[in-house]
Amino acid sequence: MKILVQKFGGTSLSTAEARAHVIEHIQDALEENYKTVVVVSAMGRKGEPYATDTLLDWIVQNGNRLPAREKDLLLSCGELISAATLCSLLNSHGIRSTVLTGAQAGIRTNEEYGNAQIVSIRPNRILELLEQDYVVIVAGFQGETAEGDVTTLGRGGSDTSATALGVALKAEIIDIFTDVNGILTADPRIVEDARPLSVVSYTEICNMAHHGAKVIHPRAVEVAMHAGVPVRVRSTFSKRPGTLVTHPDIIRGESGAVQDRFVTGIANFASITQIQVLSKESHYDLQLNVFKAMAEQRISVDFINVNPSGVVYTVFDHEAERAEAILRQLGFEPQITPHCAKVSIIGGGMNGVPGIMARIVEALTEEDIQILQSADSNATIWVLVQGKDMARAVRALHRQFELNR
């Protein structure tokens, strides 16, 4: 079968107008003779009746003592409401459709409630329904354990549901619909002339997603990448093709030549604190003690630099006070720089190209922006700046690499 998986996020389903666009996209897929599987998120965002964050608030307002297993039962309801609503609308338009929970769709997970990992997918029931010309609507973000308990997949779980089902079904393509027209070169709320990208590699979009771009969850991209299934990131409110996410060799094959693009985009992430711990003569095991203490207290660390004189790393702002207290209990005197931001310069073409870091430093120096810390990989360079300088840094780097062209 020629199978297409479409995933629609909360904003795509939150209003009658938005749901009308969703129906049009499903009709378009059927007209192109695709057997169509639709994965849905909970409708709306925090404050709206069926949004996941609203359900979390409901728990807080009612004792805030719900165990993790039972919390997953409640949180799975949002997607079921979306799926049933869309099913009714499709049937009213003469489109045969049916709803499956994550469990009924064959999604088996481990028992890590709230952030479960998919162990296997048995899509037999979906395939049978597709053979009968149903549009199969699957509640995203959820699965079941071997014991039959409902689990949820954590943030971005509906994206992961969609790509995992796409892989299991051997779909030709997976469409991730959102409220923006594909993947942009930067956050449009910061950079007015941020430009939509027509095509990016899996690695590039994974890096963008990991470092602040919120269009698609990186775990979902990694699932598609390992199987080589192409993903399109599209706007629910447009017929444009959006951004194709695929392998670099396919990108080269489509364009006829290697793209002359060192930098693909700029991502940003705020509300982080830099912590520096300097070694003293007697602290030969400083690195081990610092990071072991952070791990034991389940404090996530990032942007790590280790050298003979000590360690430098970042934590989320909301964890900074606790991290500092732990370090002082160990006898260290940490230097704390709160309210920082990480700005990431991302591009698969940067590896081995001289002068990229020089251009980054030049752009930020011209704006009188201090670089507190930097690191790099083969496809990303990160700089840490003061939070107040983040927006100016993103705009300066976007101009420097002419990403608006």
Side-chain angles (χ1 to χ4, degrees):
M1 287 185 283
K2 180 183 171 185
I3 296 174
L4 171 69
V5 174
Q6 298 178 319
K7 181 263 175 177
F8 294 98
T11 54
S12 299
L13 297 159
S14 59
T15 67
E17 179 186 0
R19 292 190 288 272
H21 286 286
V22 169
I23 292 167
E24 285 185 18
H25 286 297
I26 295 170
Q27 288 172 326
D28 289 345
L30 296 173
E31 287 173 5
E32 294 175 18
N33 296 317
Y34 280 110
K35 302 288 188 178
T36 306
V37 177
V38 179
V39 177
V40 295
S41 298
M43 289 190 281
R45 291 179 173 166
K46 186 174 182 177
E48 297 181 69
Y50 312 116
T52 300
D53 284 333
T54 303
L55 296 175
L56 287 168
D57 278 350
W58 182 253
I59 296 170
V60 173
Q61 295 164 23
N62 290 274
N64 200 25
R65 297 295 297 273
L66 193 63
R69 175 184 172 277
E70 284 69 21
K71 184 181 290 186
D72 274 6
L73 276 173
L74 175 63
L75 296 185
S76 68
C77 294
E79 281 69 24
L80 294 175
I81 293 169
S82 290
T85 301
L86 183 58
C87 180
S88 180
L89 288 169
L90 288 175
N91 287 332
S92 73
H93 282 75
I95 299 171
R96 285 182 87 202
S97 64
T98 190
V99 173
L100 298 179
T101 65
Q104 291 166 343
I107 299 176
R108 179 71 61 83
T109 75
N110 63 13
E111 296 181 1
E112 189 177 342
Y113 298 106
N115 192 31
Q117 304 290 313
I118 295 174
V119 174
S120 64
I121 296 182
R122 296 182 178 178
N124 302 34
R125 189 167 179 183
I126 296 176
L127 290 167
E128 290 172 3
L129 290 165
L130 292 176
E131 288 278 12
Q132 297 169 43
D133 292 329
Y134 279 98
V135 169
V136 181
I137 306 167
V138 178
F141 179 61
Q142 60 184 249
E144 72 167 358
T145 68
E147 298 297 318
D149 289 331
V150 174
T151 55
T152 64
L153 306 182
R155 291 295 180 184
S158 291
D159 288 350
T160 305
S161 298
T163 54
L165 284 169
V167 170
L169 292 164
K170 297 181 172 57
E172 289 197 2
I173 200 159
I174 302 160
D175 279 342
I176 305 292
F177 285 94
T178 181
D179 55 358
V180 295
N181 189 30
I183 299 161
L184 305 184
T185 51
D187 186 337
R189 294 169 296 183
I190 295 175
V191 181
E192 290 184 0
D193 58 352
R195 179 177 57 83
L197 294 161
S198 60
V199 60
V200 297
S201 70
Y202 293 113
T203 302
E204 286 172 326
I205 190 52
C206 270
N207 284 332
M208 292 180 78
H210 274 300
H211 302 296
K214 297 178 180 179
V215 176
I216 185 172
H217 198 277
R219 183 165 54 154
V221 180
E222 288 162 2
V223 169
M225 175 173 63
H226 289 310
V229 179
V231 175
R232 289 184 301 199
V233 179
R234 304 179 60 190
S235 170
T236 303
F237 308 98
S238 168
K239 298 283 189 173
R240 294 179 182 177
T243 303
L244 175 66
V245 184
T246 187
H247 282 299
D249 55 346
I250 295 175
I251 295 173
R252 287 193 289 268
E254 288 187 353
S255 64
V258 177
Q259 290 186 315
D260 185 16
R261 182 178 73 191
F262 301 134
V263 175
T264 300
I266 313 294
N268 54 277
F269 191 90
S271 302
I272 54 179
T273 292
Q274 184 193 55
I275 299 177
Q276 298 185 61
V277 186
L278 300 179
S279 292
K280 296 180 180 179
E281 288 187 12
S282 60
H283 285 167
Y284 297 113
D285 55 355
L286 176 146
Q287 293 94 336
L288 172 62
N289 290 337
V290 167
F291 293 122
K292 187 176 180 181
M294 296 296 104
E296 287 175 350
Q297 296 300 317
R298 300 185 66 81
I299 295 175
S300 176
V301 300
D302 190 24
F303 218 146
I304 301 165
N305 292 144
V306 177
N307 56 64
S309 64
V311 298
V312 185
Y313 63 97
T314 62
V315 299
F316 295 120
D317 276 350
H318 68 268
E319 297 275 32
E321 186 176 342
R322 190 159 66 95
E324 181 181 4
I326 291 164
L327 293 170
R328 293 195 183 280
Q329 287 173 8
L330 293 173
F332 298 119
E333 298 177 2
Q335 299 176 19
I336 308 296
T337 306
H339 312 311
C340 298
K342 180 166 69 171
V343 179
S344 305
I345 301 89
I346 297 157
M350 291 194 303
N351 190 24
V353 177
I356 299 293
M357 190 65 195
R359 292 180 66 182
I360 292 169
V361 174
E362 178 185 46
L364 298 183
T365 301
E366 287 178 354
E367 292 290 328
D368 197 26
I369 296 171
Q370 181 185 17
I371 298 174
L372 302 174
Q373 192 178 342
S374 68
D376 68 275
S377 71
N378 65 339
T380 307
I381 296 175
W382 304 272
V383 293
L384 190 72
V385 300
Q386 295 282 358
K388 63 182 177 60
D389 294 328
M390 182 186 74
R392 287 194 301 121
V394 172
R395 287 192 286 265
L397 293 165
H398 199 269
R399 287 194 303 272
Q400 173 70 280
F401 293 101
E402 301 178 333
L403 296 180
N404 61 330
R405 293 189 176 182

